[in-house]
Amino acid sequence: MALAIGLSVLGGCANATSPHKVDARHERAITAEAGTEAEVRRGDTTLYTALGGKPVIDDVVNDFLYRIADDERIRHFFVNTDIDHFQVTFATQLCDISNGPCDYQGPSMARAHQHMGLTEVHFNAMVEHLRAALIEQGVSAGPRNQLLGRLARLHDAVMLRQP
């Protein structure tokens, strides 16, 4: 699916919030919080679990894509992107980096971004949108900051300029 079509659809729905989605998010947050407390007592919690697992990661990525579609500073970077593939790959990467049961097999960050011409403004806009998506999806400050901290380690690779 061409990103241009996807972004048009995403842009038109970016501010829509369904009551069902809010209820499901609230229910997930309660369930994730209870599960996290039990796992902390057992000493086997992972960031993946603290984030809320796959359902929350998938919702965060979906929310993130709506935000990108609405942002003129960065949406042009996704014009020739297979948005469905990006959505799955990014969710897998977040799962992997948070010690979840996923194994990211995509290109290195340096290779994936080598010819994009990203600036700090672009990078910061992406971080801003990811942070907002994490907040909107009910991820608490501790796990949110841990995930953003792990992703921050990729900054130099993403911003690397290769000929």
Side-chain angles (χ1 to χ4, degrees):
M1 171 163 113
L3 181 66
I5 295 169
L7 287 176
S8 297
V9 172
L10 292 176
C13 302
N15 295 318
T17 304
S18 129
H20 178 69
K21 181 177 177 183
V22 173
D23 292 342
R25 185 176 353 118
H26 179 70
E27 183 178 324
R28 268 198 330 271
I30 292 168
T31 303
E33 192 171 81
T36 301
E37 290 172 10
E39 289 168 352
V40 167
R41 285 192 297 274
R42 289 194 318 259
D44 61 358
T45 191
T46 64
L47 178 54
Y48 174 79
T49 303
L51 290 168
K54 182 173 177 12
V56 173
I57 289 175
D58 288 345
D59 286 347
V60 165
V61 171
N62 190 50
D63 187 322
F64 175 70
L65 290 172
Y66 280 105
R67 292 170 189 279
I68 290 170
D70 242 6
D71 190 332
E72 293 180 13
R73 298 172 296 176
I74 56 178
R75 71 175 161 216
H76 64 278
F77 289 113
F78 295 87
V79 170
N80 295 315
T81 300
D82 176 342
I83 200 70
D84 294 329
H85 177 73
F86 177 81
Q87 187 171 15
V88 170
T89 303
F90 188 49
T92 301
Q93 185 178 30
L94 293 180
C95 172
D96 188 12
I97 203 166
S98 65
N99 297 75
C102 307
D103 185 22
Y104 174 73
Q105 295 289 318
S108 70
M109 292 299 95
R111 182 162 185 248
H113 299 91
Q114 68 184 348
H115 299 296
M116 292 180 73
L118 296 173
T119 66
E120 290 295 327
V121 169
H122 301 131
F123 185 88
N124 290 336
M126 298 290 281
V127 172
E128 167 191 321
H129 292 313
L130 182 57
R131 181 179 175 279
L134 287 160
I135 291 169
E136 179 67 25
Q137 297 307 317
V139 176
S140 62
R144 180 174 67 238
N145 291 336
Q146 285 180 16
L147 179 64
L148 292 172
R150 290 180 186 190
L151 290 169
R153 296 178 198 151
L154 301 174
H155 174 272
D156 291 346
V158 169
M159 299 303 293
L160 181 65
R161 305 272 192 270
Q162 296 182 5

